[in-house]
Amino acid sequence: MVSKVGITETIKSLNDLRSRCNLSQAEDELFFKEWFEELPELNQEEKAGVARIKQRYDYHRVNGLLLEGTINLLVVSPILELAGFLDPPYSIRSPYGIYLELEDPEETIRGFVDTLVIQEKLWILVVESKRNSIPVLSALPQLLGYMLTTPHPTLPIFGMVTNGDEFIFLKLTFTNTPKYDVSRIFSLFPRRHELGEVLQILKQLGKAILL
């Protein structure tokens, strides 16, 4: 009988996911150029929207760590709206169950995606800030595990994970064997925040997933 277990119960680290799914990190520095090359400029309306998100975030964040639902309400949904993902031609699905078959034919990982999946090519995972004593990088195995279940393995897949304070982006391809790379971490917490760069990257990925 095939064993089906939860993804967070099975995959304990990025190293574990790499060995179980024949996954490796790309060595080419331009493999994931979408997060830093020729990013679109923001207009005044978008800059004002970013400033409003930061202001609201600061107002609520000063009272303590934020839960997942609050992060979605204050940060994720507004930034996705600014990026245009809530309007045509984009479509969003969330949440739904996934299954990832490992190399062992008797073992399958099951999961329930508590994230947004846009065009089945951009995955957005939100982690509660109450866990931010662990870096946002700790959520990469979970998000990559979900991304590996894509129904379109011939196309590049992108992802973003955030705990409200920090953001990081991923790219995954399936040429020969699965390869991935990650961006640097972007922060919303300090006064000189980087939410504008996050929006620029999201807009760039929005173009890429429509190709």
Side-chain angles (χ1 to χ4, degrees), residues 144-163:
L144 275 170
Y146 290 155
M147 292 167 65
L148 284 166
T149 69
T150 176
H152 303 289
T154 59
L155 301 173
I157 307 298
F158 300 95
M160 182 186 84
V161 61
T162 180
N163 63 359

Side-chain angles (χ1 to χ4, degrees), residues 57 61 65-66 71 129 132 162-167 185-190:
Y57 164 84
R61 182 64 173 81
L65 300 178
L66 302 177
I71 297 169
S129 279
N132 73 352
T162 180
N163 63 359
D165 293 345
E166 298 176 330
F167 301 78
I185 296 175
F186 295 85
S187 179
L188 177 55
F189 190 74

Side-chain angles (χ1 to χ4, degrees), residues 72-113:
N72 270 319
L73 181 65
L74 295 178
V75 179
V76 177
S77 293
I79 201 71
L80 292 183
E81 182 176 14
L82 284 176
F85 289 133
L86 304 188
D87 301 305
Y90 301 102
S91 60
I92 293 178
R93 294 193 300 157
S94 176
Y96 65 96
I98 59 97
Y99 289 96
L100 172 62
E101 293 187 1
L102 303 178
E103 290 187 336
D104 183 349
E106 295 300 314
E107 189 172 16
T108 298
I109 293 178
R110 60 173 171 75
F112 196 68
V113 181

Side-chain angles (χ1 to χ4, degrees), residues 7-8 11-14 17 114-115 123-129 131-147 159-164 166-170 180 182 185:
I7 188 168
T8 55
I11 302 300
K12 302 299 184 182
S13 67
L14 187 55
L17 184 68
D114 54 353
T115 185
W123 299 62
I124 310 242
L125 177 64
V126 180
V127 184
E128 291 184 10
S129 279
R131 294 189 295 232
N132 73 352
S133 58
I134 302 175
V136 73
L137 286 170
S138 64
L140 292 187
Q142 181 183 0
L143 182 55
L144 275 170
Y146 290 155
M147 292 167 65
M160 182 186 84
V161 61
T162 180
N163 63 359
E166 298 176 330
F167 301 78
I168 193 166
F169 294 89
L170 303 89
Y180 76 95
V182 300
I185 296 175

